[in-house]
Amino acid sequence: MTTRDKAEQLHKKVNTFMLSCVGSDGYPLTKAVVPGKHRESLNALYFCTNTSSNFVAEISKNPKSNVYFYSRKMIVWKGCYLKGDMEIVTDMDVKEKYWQSKFKGAYPEKSFTDPDFCVLRFTPNSGKFYANFTLEDFEI
């Protein structure tokens, strides 16, 4: 199994992702998010948040970002760091695809059409996978 395959497998199992971008003050801005409704591959990862969030404001100025996710079972830690670019999705078909009914309480329009509902697409170019005290680099 390649390093990328191991990262792909972990991506589909974990439930918390950390997103980071470069803030306008030059320091990292990090937020925890739940994974998107669909997780096809590491080629593009999707996350839902609020258009009005500080994170979205920073991404609109500078797309450079990273995503980190991990799993800890017993004494075995596995983690994956991905570096790439984040973009704000405006395609309504994509926004509809990632909308979940549990979001209704957070948005006045109770729909993917709410202007404050935002889908982010992360496109990685490289990664680092950690498991069993070993760090492996890989390209996307």
Side-chain angles (χ1 to χ4, degrees):
M1 182 180 286
T2 69
T3 303
R4 182 187 166 134
D5 291 340
K6 291 184 250 182
E8 205 60 83
Q9 192 174 56
L10 183 64
H11 160 252
K12 292 181 179 178
K13 290 182 180 178
V14 298
N15 291 317
T16 302
F17 290 75
M18 304 300 280
L19 310 182
S20 295
C21 66
V22 181
S24 54
D25 61 0
Y27 287 92
L29 177 62
T30 302
K31 71 184 289 176
V33 296
V34 295
K37 185 176 178 182
H38 307 282
R39 292 189 248 183
E40 288 90 6
S41 79
L42 290 182
N43 292 332
L45 286 74
Y46 292 84
F47 304 98
C48 300
T49 191
N50 297 82
T51 305
S52 60
S53 70
N54 288 337
F55 194 86
V56 170
E58 297 298 350
I59 288 297
S60 69
K61 296 177 205 164
N62 184 348
K64 293 186 182 328
S65 53
N66 68 54
V67 173
Y68 185 79
F69 50 94
Y70 70 95
S71 171
R72 179 181 163 224
K73 294 189 178 182
M74 302 291 277
I75 59 169
V76 178
W77 281 81
K78 291 181 181 178
C80 185
Y81 163 88
L82 300 172
K83 179 174 69 173
D85 292 316
M86 191 84 64
E87 66 182 294
I88 300 163
V89 176
T90 56
D91 183 319
M92 293 306 278
D93 290 336
V94 174
K95 291 178 81 167
E96 182 177 22
K97 178 179 178 179
Y98 285 93
W99 174 260
Q100 297 180 50
S101 61
K102 67 182 179 182
F103 296 159
K104 286 182 180 180
Y107 299 96
E109 289 187 15
K110 303 190 181 316
S111 166
F112 68 92
T113 59
D114 192 297
D116 200 33
F117 177 65
C118 182
V119 174
L120 299 173
R121 177 179 26 246
F122 177 73
T123 306
N125 54 44
S126 65
K128 295 180 181 294
F129 182 79
Y130 173 84
N132 301 318
F133 306 106
T134 303
L135 186 64
E136 300 174 61
D137 293 332
F138 64 99
E139 296 298 316
I140 303 287

